[in-house]
Amino acid sequence: MPKIALPAAMRKAPSVRTVRRSLLAAAALGLAVTLAACSSSSGSTSASADKTLIIASAAAPTSFFGDAGSNVYPTYEIDTQVSSTLVKNPYAKSTQDSKALQQDYYKYSPSLATSYDISSDQKTLTFHLRKGVVSQEGNPFTADDVVWSFQQKFGNTLALFPYISSPGITAADQITKVDKYTVAFHLQTAGSANTVLSILSNITGWIWDSTLLKKHATSADPWGVAWAKAHPTVGDSYGPYKVKSYDPSTATTLVANPTYFGTKPSIKTVTYKVVADSATRANAVASGAADVAEALTPQQQADAKKAGKVQVFTLDTNTYSFAIPNATKAPFTSEAARQAFAYAIPYDQILKSVYQGRATKPTGYLDKSAAGYDGDGLPQFSYDPAKSKELLAQAGYPDGVDITLTVNADVPDLVAAAIQMQAAAKGTGFTIKIDQQPSAAFAAGQSSGGFQIFLLRDYAITLSPPYELGLYTGKGSPINYSKWEDPTFYSLLKTATDLGDPLTPEAGKAYNAAEKYMLENAATMINYANVQPSFLVGSNVKGWAQRSDNWLDVSQLSFSS
């Protein structure tokens, strides 16, 4: 096997991720006092090592076991702080924003593994595990933990891994123990190694303390998942932090894991404070009561930047805002009708008025930074009412059509974009009714296919071309939100994946053909904005990193002197 050894210097540890100036109500001022009280030292500008990092977050996590099936923000972000994977994507300085770090999505540095081999036939990945590691509960880490973790992922119906690991890995028995510190992943398809490595570097690749979870398994809970959810302060993984306290109505506090195998985090205590109102979150950072605010609107970021003493990061991300037509519901059963809606979107107006310059119009979906990327001939939709009306007539609606556009009421930029679309639809043939739904109802409807057309902001965490194109299009997949299942597209995607390495120029042309076909059909998603990071960070915090999962990596942060 040709060895792909990770650099010796990297084996030791992970590599280095509105405010309006008017007076707030007394309740908001009270919140600022509460946030400040969470700090273990005085003053937000203090650079002392024992200062608590305060993060103003939109919601509370629901669990700290990443295979428990919950994707409520910030559950997965906090899971990322307390868990570890075999390998991970390393960081480098961003070429777009000098204050930021950026993941290299196509390189893999050590974490619980120190190196890996790829067999000559490209169908076996062999990982050499780090020795001397113990879990947060003190149990030794071995190959048994890796094998059990993937048996759990396939046996636990709540885990996401089986939904995204195909065609490389489709069953738990493809992961085998070679010896105490060596594990082999036997791939079904040659050329899927890069995609599998990328998946293993992210959230579904988390490794668990099997000794601990086996101890608490029962016949009703054979993988210990329910137990893990019910005991959030028990450390069932190997990450740089562990949960110290958890109150779903107020805050979650993390502390540095003393048994962590890598470089210990600079910031020893982190508190995620629940602050439901986004303007209040932004003001908390501007006033010094918090160090980071998450999930802000572009307007809030723009106002805060003008006020100073905060950081707003300007760089490309893999986050897109989509309009998703349901291909099983009229009028969007017609390709022409889907295309008509693509020409009914006021792209430039949305970018200007909704995103305040903190988004760009997408030219495709695949990551343009990937080696071998080919964007030749991709369709470029623009706001064209006459073209929209013409296509609707071709679809059988010469007199226009009434549609319901559903949007998550808790995502302000999507609501604002829906209003822009509604206003711009006059003259296109579409008459749009907006249906705003709360988060829980919206999530249920998008998965069940209950909406005629809806708006969504989302992203593919793994930026390998076959993963990106297959994520929202899989036949029968619960995240094929458009319900579009097209044999021609599947054939084009198979032709590309059969070429093996997805990052070669030859593969790039084949993936281009599949992407072009999907976009021309306005099939699974109509991209109208590529959104920049929604964080606000205090000026005394450094080390913020843009990641493929678009979450905060607290372990990379530190306070400026």
Side-chain angles (χ1 to χ4, degrees):
M1 294 183 181
K3 189 173 186 66
I4 303 177
L6 298 162
M10 299 173 67
R11 295 183 187 173
K12 210 170 178 184
S15 303
V16 189
R17 169 150 129 107
T18 35
V19 175
R20 302 189 189 281
R21 300 305 293 173
S22 58
L23 294 175
L24 293 178
L29 292 174
L31 173 64
V33 172
T34 302
L35 285 166
C38 290
S39 177
S40 60
S41 65
S42 62
S44 180
T45 58
S46 170
S48 61
D50 61 349
K51 181 185 181 303
T52 296
L53 183 84
I54 305 296
I55 300 172
S57 185
T62 53
S63 75
F64 304 96
F65 183 73
D67 286 330
S70 173
N71 59 0
V72 176
Y73 188 85
T75 293
Y76 284 156
E77 179 173 298
I78 297 179
D79 287 344
T80 300
Q81 321 302 332
V82 301
S83 305
S84 287
T85 52
L86 291 172
V87 290
K88 59 185 182 170
N89 301 117
Y91 295 122
K93 280 286 185 182
S94 169
T95 58
Q96 295 179 300
D97 190 321
S98 61
K99 304 185 300 296
L101 300 171
Q102 174 81 51
Q103 274 186 329
D104 187 325
Y105 305 134
Y106 307 101
K107 290 184 180 177
Y108 309 99
S109 63
S111 190
L112 287 171
T114 58
S115 64
Y116 63 90
D117 310 326
I118 301 179
S119 63
S120 57
D121 65 1
Q122 303 289 300
K123 294 186 70 173
T124 302
L125 279 169
T126 302
F127 291 92
H128 306 281
L129 306 182
R130 194 182 298 271
K131 299 177 181 179
V133 174
V134 295
S135 73
Q136 292 159 349
E137 288 301 296
N139 295 316
F141 165 68
T142 69
D144 292 329
D145 295 295
V146 178
V147 172
W148 183 91
S149 292
F150 287 93
Q151 290 173 340
Q152 178 274 139
K153 293 175 196 298
F154 278 94
N156 167 20
T157 58
L158 297 175
L160 292 175
F161 187 82
Y163 292 107
I164 65 172
S165 61
S166 177
I169 299 175
T170 60
D173 60 11
Q174 290 175 243
I175 296 94
T176 61
K177 175 182 176 180
V178 177
D179 59 39
K180 187 175 182 180
Y181 294 107
T182 311
V183 177
F185 285 66
H186 306 281
L187 312 182
Q188 283 198 334
T189 55
S192 61
N194 182 280
T195 301
V196 170
L197 282 166
S198 188
I199 293 171
L200 294 178
S201 298
N202 286 294
I203 62 170
T204 58
W206 287 323
I207 306 300
W208 309 112
D209 177 354
S210 63
T211 301
L212 174 68
L213 293 171
K214 284 178 181 178
K215 180 179 177 181
H216 295 282
T218 65
S219 58
D221 183 25
W223 303 105
V225 174
W227 178 88
K229 288 185 67 175
H231 295 81
T233 61
V234 177
D236 49 34
S237 190
Y238 308 88
Y241 287 93
K242 59 186 301 184
V243 179
K244 178 181 180 182
S245 63
Y246 169 56
D247 183 334
S249 64
T250 57
T252 301
T253 295
L254 311 179
V255 292
N257 172 19
T259 67
Y260 182 53
F261 57 85
T263 298
K264 304 299 187 291
S266 174
I267 297 173
K268 306 304 181 187
T269 307
V270 179
T271 293
Y272 279 81
K273 183 71 177 177
V274 178
V275 184
D277 180 69
S278 61
T280 307
R281 291 197 298 275
N283 187 75
V285 176
S287 67
D291 302 294
V292 180
E294 303 184 309
L296 302 182
T297 68
Q299 184 64 60
Q300 289 162 348
Q301 290 179 300
D303 289 348
K305 192 172 182 180
K306 290 177 186 175
K309 296 185 179 180
V310 297
Q311 299 178 79
V312 175
F313 302 100
T314 303
L315 69 166
D316 293 336
T317 75
N318 54 317
T319 300
Y320 292 93
S321 292
F322 312 120
I324 301 182
N326 190 322
T328 68
K329 292 184 180 293
F332 300 116
T333 51
S334 164
E335 175 186 329
R338 298 193 297 267
Q339 292 172 337
F341 194 85
Y343 283 108
I345 296 175
Y347 299 92
D348 293 341
Q349 181 63 28
I350 290 173
L351 295 177
K352 180 180 178 181
S353 64
V354 176
Y355 290 105
Q356 302 287 314
R358 291 196 54 77
T360 56
K361 183 183 176 184
T363 56
Y365 181 59
L366 294 180
D367 178 30
K368 298 171 185 60
S369 72
Y373 171 79
D374 187 334
D376 184 52
L378 297 180
Q380 300 302 307
F381 294 109
S382 59
Y383 179 55
D384 188 337
K387 183 71 171 176
S388 178
K389 197 166 187 176
E390 176 188 337
L391 284 163
L392 263 185
Q394 291 179 21
Y397 302 92
D399 299 321
V401 64
D402 294 349
I403 63 170
T404 298
L405 176 63
T406 304
V407 64
N408 187 332
D410 299 322
V411 185
D413 62 300
L414 298 186
V415 174
I419 293 170
Q420 292 289 333
M421 293 178 192
Q422 183 184 52
K426 297 174 182 177
T428 67
F430 288 102
T431 300
I432 297 176
K433 174 186 175 182
I434 298 173
D435 177 21
Q436 296 189 41
Q437 297 203 5
S439 294
F442 181 84
Q446 76 176 28
S447 296
S448 68
F451 303 144
Q452 188 178 28
I453 184 170
F454 67 96
L455 302 186
L456 180 69
R457 179 156 31 83
D458 207 353
Y459 48 88
I461 292 178
T462 294
L463 296 182
S464 177
Y467 180 92
E468 287 186 281
L469 289 181
L471 181 62
Y472 298 107
T473 58
K475 191 170 185 178
S477 169
I479 56 175
N480 182 343
Y481 300 132
S482 68
K483 310 306 176 187
W484 180 71
E485 297 179 350
D486 188 287
T488 300
F489 173 76
Y490 294 143
S491 177
L492 289 168
L493 190 56
K494 184 177 186 303
T495 296
T497 57
D498 285 349
L499 291 173
D501 185 354
L503 303 181
T504 65
E506 182 185 12
K509 289 183 181 300
Y511 285 108
N512 169 264
E515 181 182 24
K516 183 179 178 181
Y517 182 84
M518 182 183 78
L519 295 176
E520 285 176 342
N521 273 266
T524 61
M525 57 196 73
I526 304 169
N527 303 358
Y528 63 85
N530 183 197
V531 186
Q532 294 184 354
S534 61
F535 292 90
L536 194 63
V537 178
S539 58
N540 66 325
V541 177
K542 59 183 180 180
W544 181 87
Q546 170 59 31
R547 297 165 50 87
S548 67
D549 56 28
N550 290 278
W551 298 322
L552 189 69
D553 185 350
V554 178
S555 72
Q556 303 305 313
L557 299 181
S558 62
F559 289 109
S560 302
S561 56

